[in-house]
Amino acid sequence: MMDNRVEGIVRPGADIEAQSFAIIEREVGQHGYDPLEWIVVRRIIHTTADFEYARITLFSSGVVERAREAFHGGSPIYVDTRMIAVGLSPWRLGWYGLRVEVPSDDLGIMEFARRHGITRSAAAFRMKAEKLNGSVVVVGNAPTALMEIVRAIEEGIAKPALVVGVPVGFVQASESKEMLIRNGMVPFVVTKGRKGGSTVAVAILHGLLECARLIDEKGL
């Protein structure tokens, strides 16, 4: 019997995805991304049906290769929401045997946040700051979490392998991303402005994993 699966997706689903990618390629046309960065941006557009991401997604130099190195090293992935953790494909994570941590799930976060007068998301990453060294950090929801991560980097407490900073919203979302860009001490992927979210964060991480896999298999 012929196998109807394509790397974690049944064949009809893979065919629809390929058609969607072709439509995206046609409608976007020329863009300024290199081939690997474009894999990530195309994945975001596929997830959101929002072509503005072809203008607002920003990569620091060499971040795709840095992500690949982190995956090969088995770096843990720290995320700001359980939605991101649930959204990540187990079979993609399985390529590199990666584990996902959600700091805000830890006991004692609420009391720590109350005592320090900060949000739960900021408290979660403040408590985990020293564990972020060499990790992949992904923020899709909480600007205060991203601001706390940048603060820890600037103070020399944490040095992640890379940061995906795409919090969504109207309060501090854009500002937190600009903080990460200005910091410039760690590789990053951001979506400038108010747009982002957990689904975008998942799409970016999936795209980075796919890039790493392509480099490994084809030497791109």
Side-chain angles (χ1 to χ4, degrees):
M1 181 180 294
M2 184 173 64
D3 193 340
N4 196 36
R5 295 170 295 174
V6 181
E7 192 69 59
I9 308 174
V10 295
R11 175 68 66 178
D15 291 343
I16 291 170
E17 181 179 82
Q19 292 176 41
S20 297
F21 285 169
I23 292 168
I24 293 167
E25 297 276 359
R26 184 170 65 249
E27 294 198 19
V28 171
Q30 295 293 320
H31 56 77
Y33 298 104
D34 71 32
L36 291 172
E37 292 172 348
W38 175 241
I39 288 172
V40 178
V41 177
R42 187 180 62 184
R43 176 64 64 186
I44 301 171
I45 297 170
H46 178 258
T47 297
T48 63
D50 187 343
F51 286 90
E52 189 177 4
Y53 284 103
R55 297 189 296 275
I56 65 173
T57 306
L58 180 64
F59 299 80
S60 65
S61 178
V63 68
V64 174
E65 180 58 36
R66 187 68 190 93
R68 175 176 171 269
E69 292 171 0
F71 298 150
H72 271 283
S75 297
I77 301 170
Y78 286 90
V79 302
D80 70 321
T81 66
R82 178 144 295 282
M83 185 182 295
I84 296 174
V86 171
L88 291 170
S89 297
W91 52 274
R92 288 189 178 98
L93 295 172
W95 291 340
Y96 299 100
L98 302 174
R99 75 177 194 276
V100 181
E101 303 281 349
V102 188
S104 59
D105 282 353
D106 286 9
L107 297 175
I109 291 294
M110 289 297 290
E111 174 56 27
F112 185 92
R114 185 196 63 76
R115 190 164 67 249
H116 291 273
I118 57 178
T119 67
R120 177 176 175 171
S121 296
F125 282 93
R126 185 172 296 186
M127 289 181 69
K128 292 287 185 179
E130 293 182 357
K131 295 184 178 296
L132 301 181
N133 291 326
S135 69
V136 176
V137 178
V138 184
V139 177
N141 184 69
T144 56
L146 185 55
M147 294 169 77
E148 182 62 33
I149 291 159
V150 173
R151 182 195 67 80
I153 293 168
E154 290 177 344
E155 294 181 4
I157 301 170
K159 191 170 183 180
L162 69 142
V163 177
V164 174
V166 293
V168 62
F170 299 98
V171 179
Q172 298 182 310
S174 180
E175 293 84 350
S176 66
K177 298 169 191 177
E178 292 299 328
M179 284 178 61
L180 177 60
I181 294 167
R182 288 195 305 270
N183 173 266
M185 296 174 69
V186 297
F188 62 79
V189 183
V190 301
T191 54
K192 300 190 73 173
R194 295 170 170 176
K195 289 187 176 182
S198 294
T199 54
V200 172
V202 169
I204 291 171
L205 197 53
H206 283 171
L208 291 172
L209 285 162
E210 289 160 9
C211 287
R213 181 83 158 186
L214 275 173
I215 295 169
D216 292 340
E217 292 183 346
K218 300 182 179 179
L220 295 180

